[in-house]
Amino acid sequence: MNNLPEPVRVVQLPDGTYAYADHLPATFQPSAGPQVVHQHIHQAPPDRTVQRIALGSGIGAGAVAAGVYFGPLLVGALTAIAANLALLAFLAVVLAWGVHTVVKSIGGPDGRAAAKTLAKTRKSLRRR
């Protein structure tokens, strides 16, 4: 019933090369002890879990490649947009403070009254 041939052993020769056990040179003397295998562990490859899940769910390789390419690009674009909005908000605050200061100092009694009214409005809005 088991018609498979017996597997051929592979041995390491003293010079470091490998050969099949049934084709050994005449000068080879097998060692009595177990062979020591030296395995070099390197840094693991980057995690590709999302790509594996995407490919496993039937999404094509083009979609995975687009995700790999456009994912970081999207993060960079959103970061740039957020930085621009933060800069614009800062400029709006500085300009509003400048206008408030100029109106208060130059406007005389009317300017001071306008600044007071504005301050009261702000306070009432904060309480809500």
Side-chain angles (χ1 to χ4, degrees), residues 103-127:
V103 167
K104 190 175 177 182
S105 63
I106 295 179
D110 292 336
R112 286 190 186 92
K116 271 187 187 176
T117 305
L118 191 61
K120 285 180 186 177
T121 306
R122 283 189 197 151
K123 285 179 187 177
S124 69
L125 288 176
R126 281 189 217 151
R127 289 181 194 156

Side-chain angles (χ1 to χ4, degrees), residues 76-110:
L78 292 176
T79 304
I81 291 169
N84 286 338
L85 289 176
L87 180 65
L88 289 175
F90 177 73
L91 285 175
V93 167
V94 169
L95 289 175
W97 174 79
V99 169
H100 172 78
T101 305
V102 168
V103 167
K104 190 175 177 182
S105 63
I106 295 179
D110 292 336

